[in-house]
Structures are given as C-alpha cells and as structure tokens.
C-alpha cells in the first residue's frame, strides 16, 4: 500500500476503529496463507463470433500459497474464482489499472471496515489497495465486485466480478459433489452493438428502472451450454446481473433441490418447484443427472412472474428479454451414462437461529422505506452521502436488531434487492407482496423486496466496529444513491 492510501485509510477509519489491521506491514505479510495480486485491467476477449469484445476485468495471480486456490476461467470476463478455507488468512493486492477509480468489495464477507471496499476507500487509476483478513464466514458461495460510488454498475457491467468460494470442516465432512461436480453458474445479462461491444444504459429512464440486457450470459460467456456427466452436481448459482430478477425452474418440471443460499448450506434440503433469484442472491442446487440417458437435455429457465409497478410495462418495450417472461438460463446435456439417482444428505449443516426476542428492538423494528421520489430511488427519503450516518443508522457492537424493508408500492414502484454489508442476516418474514417463493432460508446477505412488500430481517453486529453500507443491489439504483451507511459503535 502506498503511503498516501495508508494515510487516507487511517483518516477514513478515524479513531473509532481498533481492529488488528493496522499492524506494521512487514509483520502482516509473513502470516498470510494466501497472497494474491488482483489487477483490474482493460482487455479484449472473444465473446460473440467476429470481433472481440472490450471488457474490464480482474486478473489474478497467486504470489504466496497454493496456486490452485485461484482458478482462472478461460475466455470469460469473470475474475478468477477464489477457493479458500475458513480460518485462512488472505492478503490481496488490488491493482487498479482501469481508467477510473475503483475498490473491491467482498460481497457477503464478515470483515473489518477497511477490508470491506467502502467507496470512500476507492483508489485512483494506477494505484493499489491491500486487503488483509482472516476468512471468517461459513462455507458458502460469496463473490467480489467493484464498489466506487456512482460507477459500480458500469464497472460490474464491463466484466468486473468474480466468485469467492469458502469451505469449512463441516461442509467437507458431508462429501458433497466436488471437483468437476461442483459447478458455479454466474448468470448475467448483457446487450451488444453490431461491433460486438457492450452497450450500457442509454437513457435516464433506463437507469431509473435498472439496466436489462437482451441476452443471458453464463459464467461471463455467451455459450449457455453445459456438458454434464450422469451424476449428482452441486450447482452454485449467482445472479450477477445489474438489475435482472429471475424465477428459476427446471424445464422438465422436476423440483429444485435447494441445499444452500447466500451464506452457505441450509439445515436440510428444500424442495420447491421454482424460486425467485434477485441480483446478488446465490442459491446452491443439488442437481441429479444420474437417472438421465446419455445425450438427453434439461434446462434451467426463468419462468414468468410480474414485477409490478411501472417497471413491468416499460421494460416490456425496452428489452429484447422481457423481465418476467420465459427464457433459458442454462442448457445441460448429459454426455455420459448415468450412475443412478442420488439424493443430498438429509442433514446438511447447523444453522443457528436468530429469534426476535434476542433483538434489542423487537418491539420497534427499524423501518426503512424504499421509495421512488421524482425518479430518485431513496431509503427513508435519503440518498447516499459518503460519510453520513443518521441516528437510526447507528447500531451497537454485540447487539441484535430487526430491520424492516418496506417497499411502499404504488405506480412507480419496482423491486429492490436489498443488501447489507459486513454480515449475514436471517429473514423473519414478508408480507404484502405478490406471493412468489423467495430465497428466505438460511443465512442471507441480499433479499428481494417486491412492490408493496415488507420484509423483516434480523442480524447481529459482531466483531467489527465502524462504517458499513446497506443498499439496493439493483446497481443502477445503488449508483443513483439508493445506498446508506450504518455505523457499528461501542457497547
Ligand atoms: Cu454486492 Cu455493496 O455490494
Ligand atoms: Cu456486499
Ligand atoms: Cu432498487
């Protein structure tokens, strides 16, 4: 880290932080289990037939530790997939080589504020920011992406995103499908011009609604075909789209076997015919191709739903891939004979249950109104200010709180996928919405709040003091300022 950044970081942290990060650099360096250089670069990659596509993406290199912990995806704009073990100490040198300021946020990770990628920590083009943290989350599928204020949607759209997969002893003891049978599937939508170049938002209206592309991309590639062997797979789905919501279902009508959500494995598998998957949400599926014949096919689809408010009608005209219509996300072809049907373990993992009586505000949950005001998405009427924290955005270290996100509904209302940094929460309940099946199980960090709906979540603020974000993960909404700080203070 350059001295200037370090000083800036110190200032940003202020006197309130007493974390272990601010050790002399030398003593930190020697202790990392995995050290990685992760550069944000401009690149051109083959995406569609014909001209290569200009992208911005992350390029990684292991400089200390096991090189196998970083998996580069060929011909993809996605950054390398991290595979780390809970308890490992990782040190990541982010080198900003794109012509904009940037910073990396580790989505879902429970890390100290200086490792969280708050926009106030963004570094200019040409500079470096060093992350150093011990992986403390449960096993699960997390991810990383840029977080500079006002530029997040643009940079993620350009290709900057990657997976951060964590495993732990409990998960390893289960013998879930692994290696080639552990298959991440990142769903994103994009539009291209006639020269194969990415097209982003073209109008204020499009920005207000959230960008919708006219084709689905899988793992940063145009090819949505996946060859699988006739056995059981763990499919780790991430909706990495800027604003697109999917309603997942299998094309042959079989049930979705959900084994995990944002923050890792559920207590037991859950069988549902379909599930809503909002931006930034993850779902782990047990997919059994073991009783399928060689060369047979099955697809994961997004099936019809209504997104409500003004969103639906407008988007219907604007996008080649109408939000809430029926389209394919991934097509699986079975390339070898099946090994027979199989089921996920009946008990997957321990999930500590947070209950309302643990919350200091059980009688008076904090309420956050999600509202469009004159084309401006707001939270309790407010928008983002770099270091502003309102009284109702202050919480105490060690305490548990209930927050209620209230989508006020009405003509202009649209879905808001709400995300809280630095922790995992649990969904206590939802009401007033369209009644679809949502990913409300297990540990979560992002939750879809539909027009007219209220969703209550419960969380504990532990280990780290300081400033974190909560925001709408419709990245255009986030960039428009539908984001706020919350501050974890001393007991
Ligand atoms: Cu994935 Cu603040 O976001
Ligand atoms: Cu996040
Ligand atoms: Cu929103």
């Amino acid at each position: 880290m350059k001295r200037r950044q370090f000083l800036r970081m110190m200032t940003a942290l202020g006197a309130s932080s007493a974390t272990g990060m601010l050790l002399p650099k030398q003593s930190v360096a020697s202790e990392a289990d995995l050290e990685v250089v992760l550069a944000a670069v401009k690149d051109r990659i083959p995406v569609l037939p014909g001209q290569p596509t200009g992208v911005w993406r992350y390029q990684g290199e292991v400089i200390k530790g096991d090189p196998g912990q970083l998996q580069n995806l060929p011909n993809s704009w996605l950054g390398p997939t991290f595979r780390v073990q809970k308890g490992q100490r990782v040190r990541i040198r982010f080198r900003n080589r794109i012509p904009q300021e940037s910073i990396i946020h580790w989505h879902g990770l429970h890390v100290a504020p200086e490792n969280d990628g708050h926009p106030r920590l963004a570094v200019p083009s040409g500079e470096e920011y060093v992350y150093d943290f011990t992986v403390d989350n449960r096993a699960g599928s997390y991810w990383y992406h840029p977080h500079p204020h006002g530029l997040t949607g643009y940079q993620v759209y350009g290709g900057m995103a990657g997976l951060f997969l964590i495993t732990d002893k409990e998960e390893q003891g289960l013998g879930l499908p692994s290696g080639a049978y552990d298959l991440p599937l990142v769903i994103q939508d994009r539009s291209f011009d006639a020269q194969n170049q990415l097209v982003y938002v073209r109008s204020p209206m499009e920005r207000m609604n959230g960008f919708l592309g006219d084709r689905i991309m899988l793992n940063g590639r145009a090819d949505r075909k996946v060859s699988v062997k006739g056995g059981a797979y763990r499919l780790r789905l991430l909706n990495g789209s800027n604003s697109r919501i999917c309603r997942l279902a299998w094309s042959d009508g079989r049930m979705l076997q959900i084994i995990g959500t944002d923050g890792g494995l559920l207590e037991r598998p859950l069988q549902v015919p379909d599930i809503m998957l909002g931006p930034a949400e993850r779902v782990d599926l047990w997919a059994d191709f073991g009783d399928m014949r060689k060369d047979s096919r099955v697809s994961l689809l997004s099936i019809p739903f209504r997104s409500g408010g003004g969103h639906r009608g407008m988007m219907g005209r604007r996008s080649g891939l109408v939000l809430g219509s029926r389209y394919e996300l991934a097509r699986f072809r079975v390339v070898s004979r099946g090994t027979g049907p199989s089921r996920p373990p009946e008990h997957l993992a321990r999930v500590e249950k947070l209950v309302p009586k643990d919350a200091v505000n059980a009688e008076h949950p904090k309420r956050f109104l999600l509202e469009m005001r004159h084309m401006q998405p707001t939270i309790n009427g407010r928008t983002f200010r770099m270091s502003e924290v309102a009284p109702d955005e202050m919480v105490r270290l060690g305490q548990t709180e209930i927050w209620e996100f209230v989508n006020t509904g009405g003509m202009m209302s649209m879905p808001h996928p709400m995300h809280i940094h630095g922790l995992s929460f649990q969904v206590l309940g939802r009401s007033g919405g369209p009644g679809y099946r949502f990913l409300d199980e297990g540990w979560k960090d992002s939750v879809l709040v539909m027009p007219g709906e209220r969703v209550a979540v419960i969380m504990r603020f532990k280990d780290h003091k300081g400033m974190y974000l909560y925001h709408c993960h419709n990245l255009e909404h986030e960039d428009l300022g539908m984001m706020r700080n919350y501050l974890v203070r001393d007991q």
Side-chain angles (χ1 to χ4, degrees):
M1 193 181 319
K2 299 217 173 86
R3 185 168 166 77
R4 215 172 96 214
Q5 256 77 51
F6 188 70
L7 289 176
R8 187 193 303 179
M9 199 177 87
M10 296 286 288
T11 322
L13 288 171
S16 71
S17 176
T19 63
M21 170 65 186
L22 307 175
L23 295 169
K25 191 167 148 186
Q26 296 82 339
S27 71
V28 172
S30 56
E31 292 169 29
D33 300 301
L34 178 70
E35 189 165 349
V36 169
V37 171
L38 197 59
V41 299
K42 285 174 82 162
D43 201 359
R44 289 171 73 78
I45 58 169
V47 177
L48 301 174
Q51 288 189 49
T53 302
V55 297
W56 289 1
R57 63 189 199 89
Y58 293 116
Q59 241 166 20
E61 193 196 340
V62 174
I63 54 173
K64 178 172 184 279
D66 174 6
Q69 289 198 256
L70 210 61
Q71 296 166 352
N72 289 296
L73 308 170
N75 289 334
S76 164
W77 60 57
L78 292 181
T81 300
F82 284 76
R83 287 196 176 259
V84 303
Q85 175 94 29
K86 181 174 180 173
Q88 273 193 325
R89 182 155 183 183
V90 296
R91 190 153 201 268
I92 299 153
R93 298 177 161 276
F94 166 54
R95 297 202 175 136
N96 182 6
R97 294 207 224 106
I98 54 164
Q100 279 180 353
E101 63 162 6
S102 198
I103 191 75
I104 301 178
H105 167 57
W106 310 94
H107 182 119
L109 295 200
H110 179 55
V111 291
E114 64 271 22
N115 286 309
D116 190 54
H118 189 283
R120 74 188 187 282
L121 305 174
V123 292
S125 180
E127 298 202 11
E128 181 177 286
Y129 191 92
V130 183
Y131 299 84
D132 189 318
F133 56 87
T134 299
V135 176
D136 187 43
N137 285 65
R138 303 173 78 223
S141 314
Y142 306 89
W143 63 303
Y144 61 98
H145 60 76
H147 223 300
H149 184 48
L151 300 170
T152 298
Y154 184 84
Q155 293 185 6
V156 171
Y157 187 76
M160 292 165 72
L163 289 164
F164 196 94
L165 308 181
I166 301 177
T167 186
D168 61 16
K169 294 242 165 59
E170 186 183 38
E171 184 188 70
Q172 281 156 7
L174 279 175
L176 292 177
S178 62
Y181 296 88
D182 175 355
L183 200 61
L185 298 173
V186 180
I187 297 161
Q188 296 172 305
D189 57 343
R190 293 293 184 270
S191 295
F192 297 87
D193 66 15
Q195 282 74 48
N196 288 349
Q197 302 310 302
L198 289 166
V199 177
Y200 190 45
V201 285
R202 287 146 297 194
S203 70
M205 184 65 88
E206 199 175 2
R207 188 176 301 280
M208 188 192 69
N209 283 312
F211 175 87
L212 291 172
D214 53 23
R215 58 191 297 165
I216 298 292
M217 312 293 292
L218 190 65
N219 289 339
R221 307 169 51 136
D223 180 9
R224 285 179 280 110
K225 298 194 189 91
V226 185
S227 298
V228 291
K229 293 189 176 141
Y233 278 75
R234 175 182 191 176
L235 304 180
R236 303 177 187 247
L237 272 80
L238 158 66
N239 183 348
S241 305
N242 282 29
S243 99
R244 181 175 294 276
I245 297 164
C246 300
R247 187 182 182 196
L248 286 181
W250 287 108
S251 58
D252 61 359
R254 73 174 78 175
M255 296 289 247
L256 294 167
Q257 292 250 32
I258 298 178
I259 58 170
T261 55
D262 301 354
L265 294 172
L266 301 179
E267 218 156 53
R268 49 193 71 253
L270 181 71
Q271 292 207 9
V272 293
D274 57 74
I275 197 85
M276 300 287 277
L277 188 69
E281 284 189 305
R282 287 87 73 203
V283 64
D284 278 20
L285 300 178
W286 177 279
D288 185 13
F289 306 109
D291 55 357
M292 290 179 67
R293 269 177 297 124
K294 187 170 178 296
D295 286 325
S296 54
R297 284 156 216 267
V298 65
S299 296
L300 269 175
L301 305 177
S302 185
I303 61 167
F305 65 91
R306 280 192 314 261
S307 58
H311 204 45
R312 168 179 41 118
M314 277 179 282
M315 294 332 292
R317 289 195 299 273
R318 303 182 69 81
S319 165
L321 206 57
V322 177
L323 187 67
S325 64
R326 183 187 185 89
Y327 47 86
E328 186 179 65
L329 302 172
R331 182 183 310 176
F332 301 88
R333 190 168 71 89
V334 181
V335 297
S336 72
R337 199 158 49 91
T339 50
S342 57
R343 301 169 143 277
E346 241 158 73
H347 180 87
L348 293 164
R350 248 174 345 100
V351 178
E352 182 207 357
K353 193 104 181 109
L354 299 183
V355 293
K357 73 167 174 44
D358 299 335
V360 294
N361 66 343
E363 305 299 316
H364 307 280
K366 279 183 183 163
R367 205 146 288 161
F368 296 93
L369 302 184
L370 315 176
E371 237 171 350
M372 294 301 293
R373 293 192 175 177
H374 312 290
M375 301 198 45
Q376 168 67 58
T378 61
I379 302 176
N380 276 349
R382 305 171 184 129
T383 55
F384 185 63
R385 297 283 173 274
M386 197 57 91
S387 49
E388 187 179 285
V389 183
D392 59 344
E393 295 171 321
M394 308 221 185
V395 301
R396 298 220 176 262
L397 190 66
Q399 289 193 340
T400 300
E401 288 199 3
I402 300 175
W403 290 10
E404 222 174 59
F405 294 116
V406 182
N407 189 329
T408 54
M411 260 300 285
M412 288 309 292
S413 79
M414 52 186 87
H416 299 293
M418 297 305 294
H419 169 51
I420 305 175
H421 278 220
L423 50 79
S424 300
F425 56 74
Q426 288 175 3
V427 178
L428 288 174
R430 62 171 72 227
S431 63
Y436 297 118
R437 272 177 218 86
F438 295 90
L439 271 178
D440 290 346
E441 302 292 319
W443 287 104
K444 298 280 299 171
D445 54 56
S446 306
V447 67
L448 203 45
V449 188
M450 298 297 277
E453 196 164 42
R454 57 175 63 215
V455 178
V457 301
I458 185 167
M459 71 209 114
R460 188 181 303 143
F461 307 96
K462 49 176 196 182
D463 305 323
H464 308 296
K465 284 178 288 184
M467 205 159 75
Y468 293 93
L469 297 164
Y470 66 103
H471 61 87
C472 178
H473 220 288
N474 174 324
L475 296 182
E476 286 68 49
H477 289 183
E478 174 185 333
D479 284 340
L480 282 170
M482 195 177 190
M483 172 160 81
R484 292 288 300 175
N485 293 307
Y486 75 91
L487 181 70
V488 185
R489 294 190 296 176
D490 245 325
Q491 283 264 253

